[in-house]
Amino acid sequence: MSAEPIRLGIAGLGLAGAMMIRAAARHPRFVLAAAADPRPEPREIFARTFGGRTHADFAALCAAPELEALYIGTPHQLHAAQAIAALRAGKHVLVEKPLALRLEECDGVIAAAEETGRTLIVGHTHGFDANAVAMARLVQSGALGALGMILAFNYSDFLLRPRRPDELDTAQGGGITFNQVTHQIEMVRMIGGGMVRSVRASVGALEPLRPTEGHCNVFLEFENGASASILYSGYDFFDSDEFHHWIAEGGQDKPSNRHGSSRAALTSPDFDEPAAQRHLAYGGRPMPEEQPHLPHFGVLIATCAGGDVRLSPSGLTVYGTAGPTELPVPRGEGRPGQGDTLDALWSAVREGRPDMHDARWGKATLEVILAILRSARERREIILEHQVTTPEYGGGSG
Ligand SMILES: NC(=O)c1ccc[n+]([C@@H]2O[C@H](COP(=O)([O-])OP(=O)(O)OC[C@H]3O[C@@H](n4cnc5c(N)ncnc54)[C@H](O)[C@@H]3O)[C@@H](O)[C@H]2O)c1
């Protein structure tokens, strides 16, 4: 197997692109070789910083012979078509969450990956967090006895942060469900064995400034009988990082007095939303580098016959009969978060170890997203049909 660094192209120089570039720039196994975005300003900064080629057009990135893999960090509604184009151009693909907005689009991606033999990984970043993976392995190993239930909750300012208009339109993938709850679905599916049997959900839009889904309350039942509750609220009132040692999603320490600051900015008379988005995008601001703790996505607890286990700042805390025990979890080769997704891409492409977060897995997670919206609309339980297991965690019977 070659140990050559993977020459990576970046599609989309927004917020996600900025986070991926920060991780890839320091990852010893990747070279940032090109980027594409319709906006010239971040393209110029990328070219100046990395000396790579830049393109206004995604097709040119696919055609670039120097690239082995593409990271797709464009708006949701472009993911599936761009992933298919990149695979058919012979590139390996790391695509942002969600894989698509419709199940049929996922089928196109599955076919393109199978026909080309290229790797496709859906990079729901928190599904790669070292401690979330360790929790899935621990629970599925059976060391804590049978899994009973999982709780995932997150209260954030998501809806009030600077947003593009399409991010407020559910038909185009707007709202919390496609963007945020999808991380929680990934984590609970990994821990619960993947096979969700049914979904019952209530979803609401309480914020007139942001007329799209802002909160949800979801009950999942797995085929193996375990269950999961997922709650998300994105209204910038309570911040559940208070229940995670005031550590921010990315693993930085977080000031405890910021409640309401996104809402205050949005409602201030001189607020310029497109400018605020450009500020968050690649080249718009210095990115925080320090990362003293592992990333997280709210509170995540699994209850098993032999104890509870939850994410902790540097690994897992297991609450067994002898009280809490800390299990440290080592960091990966790359920066925790996006670097973990790059580690997965490297393992698949260079070491021939396919990652389970492939297009079929991404379709199964999208099925849960769509079922949440449908269950809320129709006020009934939805039975799922496209779920897949997690054999690499030693379980999979679920
Ligand atoms: N995994 C994570 O932690 C994480 C974090 C943020 C966003 N995301 C995901 O990343 C995606 C982008 O979100 P964002 O917040 O960065 O949005 P954004 O608006 O900040 O950035 C999107 C970028 O894509 C560019 N773009 C639009 N059309 C394009 C095209 N055809 N080709 C190339 N570039 C194009 C835009 O000009 C913009 O720069 C979303 O799907 C979101 O779910 C993931």
Side-chain angles (χ1 to χ4, degrees):
M1 300 271 173
S2 162
E4 278 289 296
I6 294 174
R7 296 181 66 80
L8 184 69
I10 305 288
L13 293 172
L15 172 62
M19 293 196 287
M20 182 51 76
I21 289 169
R22 175 178 57 181
R26 280 154 198 73
H27 200 299
R29 293 171 165 173
F30 287 82
V31 173
L32 281 163
D37 196 294
R39 297 182 301 120
E41 302 84 357
R43 290 205 311 268
E44 280 156 25
I45 298 169
F46 183 94
R48 235 180 10 250
T49 310
F50 299 106
R53 293 209 188 157
T54 63
H55 309 276
D57 177 23
F58 178 76
L61 200 65
C62 291
E66 73 273 21
L67 299 178
E68 203 177 342
L70 298 189
Y71 164 73
I72 298 176
T74 56
H76 304 341
Q77 56 277 35
L78 303 178
H79 292 175
Q82 290 185 335
I84 292 168
L87 290 164
R88 299 228 175 265
K91 310 301 184 199
H92 302 289
V93 174
L94 175 58
V95 58
E96 267 302 343
K97 47 78 185 172
L99 174 57
L101 299 182
R102 296 195 315 274
L103 295 178
E104 309 77 69
E105 292 178 294
C106 298
D107 293 333
V109 182
I110 292 166
E114 285 177 356
E115 284 161 32
T116 60
R118 299 284 139 175
T119 291
L120 178 125
I121 295 177
V122 192
H124 289 84
T125 319
H126 293 291
F128 295 78
D129 288 347
N131 47 2
V133 171
M135 191 190 284
R137 288 191 192 284
L138 176 67
V139 168
Q140 292 204 30
S141 74
L144 286 178
L147 172 67
M149 65 176 187
I150 307 165
L151 172 63
F153 70 85
N154 197 347
Y155 286 64
S156 81
D157 63 348
F158 174 80
L159 210 59
L160 283 297
R161 287 180 218 151
R163 298 270 152 236
R164 304 183 312 269
D166 56 291
E167 290 182 281
L168 304 176
D169 174 6
T170 310
Q172 297 187 70
I176 56 159
T177 328
F178 289 101
N179 198 313
Q180 297 284 280
V181 182
T182 189
H183 281 301
Q184 295 168 303
I185 298 167
E186 282 281 302
M187 295 188 298
V188 303
R189 287 191 59 234
M190 284 161 47
I191 296 162
M195 299 293 291
V196 181
R197 178 188 169 275
S198 70
V199 175
R200 179 70 176 96
S202 162
V203 171
L206 290 177
E207 175 51 68
L209 290 168
R210 300 302 215 189
T212 183
E213 292 81 21
H215 72 273
C216 70
N217 188 351
V218 179
F219 178 80
L220 305 182
E221 191 187 21
F222 288 94
E223 294 286 359
N224 58 16
S227 65
S229 287
I230 297 176
L231 277 90
Y232 193 97
S233 168
Y235 298 122
D236 196 20
F237 294 129
F238 176 59
D239 179 345
S240 55
D241 289 342
E242 184 171 336
F243 290 171
H244 193 77
H245 316 275
W246 282 117
I247 295 169
E249 181 182 342
Q252 297 86 21
D253 291 313
K254 184 176 196 176
S256 59
N257 59 356
R258 298 270 306 280
H259 289 101
S261 55
S262 297
R263 177 178 291 274
L266 180 66
T267 51
S268 86
D270 53 355
F271 186 63
D272 177 345
E273 190 148 22
Q277 277 181 276
R278 288 195 296 277
H279 178 71
L280 293 176
Y282 177 66
R285 61 175 172 149
M287 297 284 285
E289 291 294 338
E290 84 290 356
Q291 201 175 24
H293 316 288
L294 290 175
H296 73 97
F297 197 73
V299 174
L300 182 64
I301 310 174
T303 294
C304 300
D308 290 326
V309 54
R310 65 173 285 204
L311 298 188
S312 74
S314 55
L316 300 174
T317 311
V318 179
Y319 300 80
T321 44
T325 311
E326 191 61 20
L327 299 181
V329 171
R331 295 180 175 214
E333 184 77 26
R335 183 186 164 85
Q338 280 69 21
D340 295 320
T341 65
L342 291 172
D343 287 350
L345 184 62
W346 170 274
S347 292
V349 170
R350 287 286 187 263
E351 297 171 348
R353 288 195 281 130
D355 191 88
M356 61 170 244
H357 302 89
D358 61 8
R360 286 184 195 281
W361 177 268
K363 177 180 176 181
T365 289
L366 177 67
E367 186 186 28
V368 179
I369 298 176
L370 296 173
I372 289 171
L373 293 169
R374 185 168 169 205
S375 172
R377 220 171 32 243
E378 300 180 4
R379 302 179 80 172
R380 67 181 181 90
E381 183 182 32
I382 306 294
I383 305 295
L384 304 189
E385 295 171 5
H386 303 287
Q387 297 299 292
V388 292
T389 60
T390 58
E392 78 180 49
Y393 295 150
S397 59

